[in-house]
Amino acid sequence: MAPHLDTVFAALADPTRREILRMLLEDDMAVTDVAEPFAMSLAAISKHLGILAGAGLITQEKRGRVKWCKLEPDALKAASVWMQGFGQFEPVNLDAFEAFLERELGAEPFDTP
Amino acid sequence: MAPHLDTVFAALADPTRREILRMLLEDDMAVTDVAEPFAMSLAAISKHLGILAGAGLITQEKRGRVKWCKLEPDALKAASVWMQGFGQFEPVNLDAFEAFLERELGAEPFDTP
DNA sequence: GCGATCGTCAACCGATCGGTTGAATATGCG
DNA sequence: CGCATATTCAACCGATCGGTTGACGATCGC
């Protein structure tokens, strides 16, 4: 039951893969460009991307000789919902909720520098 | 940066450990009782509990000769916030937010049976 | 067509993972 | 005290992980 969660959480457990996701948050990228800032081989990054794609967190589309990587944030939904099942035990956690609101609605607090 | 996320996500990547967390959602449990429904050795469960404790997802307190395991849902906070950073790509997910509010503030909807 | 670029494949490596078993360590009970 | 219960420790196992290297297949520009 819920084999997706296995692969999604496992994919998120690696800092390199989380950083790749963060990069893809800004824009779609080619494999070579994804690999550029990392101090490891292109093949290693290619494997990481394969794992992210296997978890559904990204999709890859080959256009010409370059393969474009696109973030698929909806794949985080099931994991997020699963985690929310533990929210009932938290005292209130309104601060996290406010941060969430700020990000979602773009409502910046007054004291922002 | 953010070594917690490594261990938290890795801990969540195993279905046995997720099931343990689900069980602890209902009540604190002794190690032996946690192990009972699983078809594996007590030592294996003890290791799983150690990993969960290492990630801060549970705490263990020895009272007498039995060690009680207690869920620590706040440890999910950092991971949850990290994932919310990708929420800007989702439509809005207001339904999850309303469910969150209902649970947090005890504001039950009218049509509750 | 040719050379350079993009990306994967395959084989290999050491480390870690998830599990086992058996012995060891506390602690409680009668 | 002596035995049962609760839990961990230590060693081991095969499988998987994260990484490397080198060869390979496509595809582009000239």
Side-chain angles (χ1 to χ4, degrees):
Chain A
M1 200 193 300
H4 283 22
L5 292 181
D6 286 40
T7 56
V8 169
F9 280 131
L12 296 181
D14 185 278
T16 299
R17 291 192 288 264
R18 287 198 306 276
E19 174 64 11
I20 291 176
L21 293 179
R22 205 196 53 77
M23 291 164 55
L24 291 177
L25 198 48
E26 303 185 20
D27 204 355
D28 298 0
M29 296 179 77
V31 173
T32 302
D33 295 331
V34 169
E36 195 268 335
F38 294 99
M40 71 181 70
S41 72
L42 184 61
I45 295 295
S46 180
K47 280 190 189 177
H48 280 305
L49 290 170
I51 290 171
L52 289 171
L57 290 164
I58 67 169
T59 48
Q60 297 180 284
E61 182 197 355
K62 192 165 185 180
R63 218 146 49 213
R65 71 178 155 178
V66 15
K67 201 170 190 174
W68 292 91
C69 305
K70 180 184 190 315
L71 187 64
E72 296 291 346
D74 280 2
L76 286 172
K77 219 171 198 172
S80 178
V81 166
W82 184 88
M83 290 173 73
Q84 282 176 7
F86 295 88
Q88 50 189 300
F89 270 64
E90 302 180 25
V92 156
N93 143 330
L94 268 188
D95 40 341
F97 160 54
E98 283 183 48
F100 167 83
L101 256 200
E102 283 172 25
R103 197 162 356 219
E104 281 296 287
L105 308 179
E108 308 242 14
F110 293 124
D111 52 7
T112 300
Chain B
M1 201 194 300
H4 284 22
L5 292 180
D6 286 40
T7 56
V8 169
F9 281 131
L12 297 180
D14 185 278
T16 299
R17 290 193 288 263
R18 286 198 306 276
E19 174 64 11
I20 291 176
L21 292 179
R22 205 195 54 76
M23 290 163 57
L24 290 178
L25 199 49
E26 303 185 20
D27 205 356
D28 298 359
M29 296 180 77
V31 174
T32 301
D33 296 331
V34 169
E36 195 268 336
F38 295 98
M40 71 182 70
S41 72
L42 184 61
I45 296 293
S46 180
K47 281 191 188 177
H48 280 304
L49 290 171
I51 291 171
L52 289 172
L57 290 163
I58 67 169
T59 48
Q60 297 180 284
E61 182 196 357
K62 192 165 183 181
R63 218 146 50 212
R65 71 177 157 180
V66 15
K67 201 169 190 175
W68 292 90
C69 305
K70 181 185 189 314
L71 186 65
E72 296 291 346
D74 280 3
L76 286 172
K77 217 175 199 174
S80 180
V81 165
W82 184 88
M83 290 174 73
Q84 283 174 7
F86 296 88
Q88 48 189 298
F89 272 65
E90 302 180 24
V92 154
N93 138 333
L94 266 190
D95 40 342
F97 160 52
E98 283 183 49
F100 166 83
L101 257 201
E102 282 173 25
R103 197 169 355 221
E104 283 296 289
L105 307 180
E108 308 243 13
F110 292 125
D111 53 7
T112 301

